[in-house]
Amino acid sequence: MFAEIMAIIIFVGMFALIVLDRFPKQFVTLGCGVLTIVFVFVLGMHNYEAILETLAVGNIFTPSFWYAAGDASEATCGVNWATIIFLFGMMVMVEGMAEAKFFDWLCMKIAKIMGYDPIRIFVAFMILSALLAMFIDSITVILFLAAVTIKLARMLKFNPVPCILSEIFCANLGGSATMCGDPPNIIIGTSLGYSFIDFLVNTGAMAQVSLIFVIIYFYITMSKKIQSPEDKVDPATIDIDVAIEDLGEFAASTVIFLGAIILLITHAMTGLTVATIGVFVASVTLLAAGKKAPKLLKRVDYETLLFFIGLFIVVGGLEQTGVLELIANFIAEISGGNAKIMIAIILWISAIASAFVDNIPFAATMIPIIQSLAATTGVPLDTMAWTLAVGTDIGGSATPIGASANVVGIATAGKEGYPIGWGAYCKELAPATIIVLIVSMISIYLRYF
């Protein structure tokens, strides 16, 4: 009992410290990870094998970690090194693309194609945000998209806040469409053995339908707030082009990005795991960067990677002590074994929780819970996995602190003199979140039941 109590106390304490955001998140999870090893595994369980199982370093040295012929096996509890390595590889690739001015060039080209019309840019950047977030971390997407939006807003004299808010939401929505689009999806995919295509045909289909509703909703509610008629600038007087300093570097980053997409789409057929793809993408990017390689490595977000490692250890403590199985049994009991009620509970609890706490630890915690539910109730694991992915990815859009992309977008706008408060944010994005969740729930019921 001591081990179970300590696992719960450490987990709750970790969540509270993450929400308070007074200490670096990576220090919080790593510190709680150490406490889990000492108080749960050593003093509580007296089980040193549980430590090795949770750290899971040995998995890296198995052939199936790098190449999975046939059906991918489910990951064991503990640190999901496939997620860590894949994220590292994608981070290196994105830094290479940013160094080559790929993102600036793309945004400015689209703005030019739209005739520098603020309303057209508003709609085009929503679609661009969703599309890029399918393959690149939503934080990165918002970082450069918000900066470019503000730059264009000053030149074309329009209000960038509605654009940034819609870009944030669409980045989270686009991230829900694929396995590599949002960190919770990466964790779900690598833990349960799902491929890029599995996500694309399931959560991707829901995201596609939802995006249509979202664009219509944002156009109706925010398009009139973008620019006053008297501020309209003659597009003929504007011509902005981003200079590509190194054409070879730009071409290399583009080819690597397209190659990464192809590898992700085909990895279920080739047998290459996401860890292998991450290492390959990072290696090719660093080779192409040459002397700039150390610069790219320095820019990698190591804090986020350490955050994940500590998080996985703490969740491993809950799993090893059987706490997560008890939660799964509780959900099964209150739903009365009814599959539709169970799905609704998972969707809305995931969404509400992710609106106020980081959706990454929540998703990591829920994976073993839905595995237990699938084993005891007979509800298909696939259906619950897609429900969990949509709930965590979309629910995080409802509040300014629900997802990292929200925090980054608001911070970027605030630094440039366009503050976005809780009231303004929730007024626009909370209804959009509810719309997408309702559309997703109807889609799940129609498709899987």
Side-chain angles (χ1 to χ4, degrees):
M1 184 60 71
F2 175 77
E4 287 86 346
I5 292 172
M6 288 307 302
I8 294 170
I9 290 173
I10 293 169
F11 179 76
V12 172
M14 179 190 73
F15 248 118
L17 289 172
I18 289 173
V19 172
L20 289 173
D21 198 24
R22 292 184 178 178
F23 305 98
K25 289 183 179 181
Q26 70 274 17
F27 293 155
V28 171
T29 61
L30 286 172
C32 290
V34 172
L35 292 176
T36 297
I37 291 172
V38 174
F39 288 97
V40 177
F41 297 144
V42 177
L43 298 179
M45 298 174 65
H46 306 289
N47 188 343
Y48 295 95
E49 287 186 9
I51 300 175
L52 296 177
E53 287 178 7
T54 301
L55 294 178
V57 177
N59 292 345
I60 300 174
F61 302 100
T62 60
S64 60
F65 184 84
W66 304 101
Y67 178 77
D71 295 332
S73 58
E74 294 178 4
T76 55
C77 68
V79 180
N80 190 329
W81 291 107
T83 295
I84 304 296
I85 294 171
F86 176 71
L87 278 174
F88 170 79
M90 296 301 284
M91 286 176 180
V92 173
M93 181 192 74
V94 167
E95 290 301 332
M97 294 172 73
E99 183 67 23
K101 307 280 188 195
F102 175 87
F103 300 119
D104 291 340
W105 173 85
L106 180 63
C107 290
M108 289 304 181
K109 279 294 179 186
I110 290 175
K112 188 174 183 178
I113 292 170
M114 294 297 108
Y116 299 113
D117 180 86
I119 301 300
R120 291 180 184 175
I121 291 172
F122 170 62
V123 175
F125 276 19
M126 277 194 277
I127 298 171
L128 178 64
S129 180
L131 288 175
L132 287 174
M134 291 171 64
F135 308 101
I136 300 172
D137 181 71
S138 56
I139 301 170
T140 304
V141 172
I142 292 303
L143 269 174
F144 73 78
L145 204 51
V148 172
T149 300
I150 291 169
K151 182 178 179 180
L152 285 169
R154 285 172 175 159
M155 291 179 174
L156 301 175
K157 297 181 180 179
F158 68 85
N159 178 14
V161 172
C163 298
I164 292 171
L165 287 174
S166 64
E167 288 159 10
I168 289 170
F169 190 90
C170 289
N172 289 328
L173 180 57
S176 72
T178 65
M179 193 180 93
C180 62
D182 216 26
N185 290 13
I186 299 172
I187 297 171
I188 292 169
T190 53
S191 297
L192 303 180
Y194 296 131
S195 69
F196 183 94
I197 295 296
D198 290 333
F199 273 91
L200 194 61
V201 300
N202 288 282
T203 59
M206 286 183 264
Q208 185 177 12
V209 174
S210 298
L211 182 61
I212 297 170
F213 283 91
V214 164
I215 291 174
I216 295 171
Y217 167 76
F218 284 142
Y219 185 85
I220 293 171
T221 60
M222 293 200 288
S223 61
K224 292 181 180 178
K225 302 175 184 178
I226 293 176
Q227 188 178 51
S228 300
E230 58 270 19
D231 291 331
K232 203 162 184 68
V233 176
D234 184 4
T237 63
I238 305 291
D239 189 14
I240 315 165
D241 268 323
V242 176
I244 300 172
E245 298 172 4
D246 189 329
L247 189 59
E249 185 180 59
F250 181 85
S253 68
T254 305
V255 170
I256 292 169
F257 177 51
L258 295 174
I261 293 173
I262 293 170
L263 287 173
L264 286 166
I265 291 172
T266 60
H267 82 93
M269 295 176 278
T270 62
L272 299 176
T273 64
V274 290
T276 302
I277 294 171
V279 170
F280 176 77
V281 167
S283 301
V284 174
T285 301
L286 293 173
L287 285 172
K291 293 180 180 180
K292 292 184 178 180
K295 184 179 180 180
L296 300 186
L297 286 172
K298 189 177 180 180
R299 289 179 180 173
V300 170
D301 186 3
Y302 294 105
E303 289 82 3
T304 295
L305 299 179
L306 292 172
F307 165 78
F308 272 111
I309 292 171
L311 165 67
F312 285 132
I313 294 172
V314 175
V315 174
L318 291 174
E319 189 170 1
Q320 289 278 2
T321 54
V323 171
L324 297 183
E325 190 174 346
L326 293 175
I327 296 173
N329 292 337
F330 175 72
I331 293 174
E333 187 176 334
I334 61 174
S335 66
N338 186 300
K340 289 186 178 181
I341 295 176
M342 200 177 298
I343 289 299
I345 290 172
I346 293 171
L347 179 70
W348 289 97
I349 285 181
S350 298
I352 293 169
S354 296
F356 298 99
V357 298
D358 198 303
N359 58 4
I360 296 169
F362 185 82
T365 307
M366 284 295 293
I367 288 168
I369 290 176
I370 65 172
Q371 284 178 301
S372 180
L373 281 170
T376 56
T377 65
V379 177
L381 178 61
D382 293 2
T383 305
M384 288 192 285
W386 311 138
T387 303
L388 175 63
V390 171
T392 52
D393 294 338
I394 303 305
S397 299
T399 66
I401 61 171
S404 300
N406 312 2
V407 178
V408 168
I410 291 171
T412 302
K415 286 177 185 177
E416 296 296 333
Y418 299 98
I420 302 173
W422 267 73
Y425 182 99
C426 294
K427 180 183 176 183
E428 302 293 351
L429 299 198
T433 302
I434 294 171
I435 289 170
V436 173
L437 288 171
I438 291 172
V439 170
S440 299
M441 188 167 70
I442 293 171
S443 300
I444 291 168
Y445 284 164
L446 290 175
R447 184 169 180 181
Y448 303 109
F449 292 99

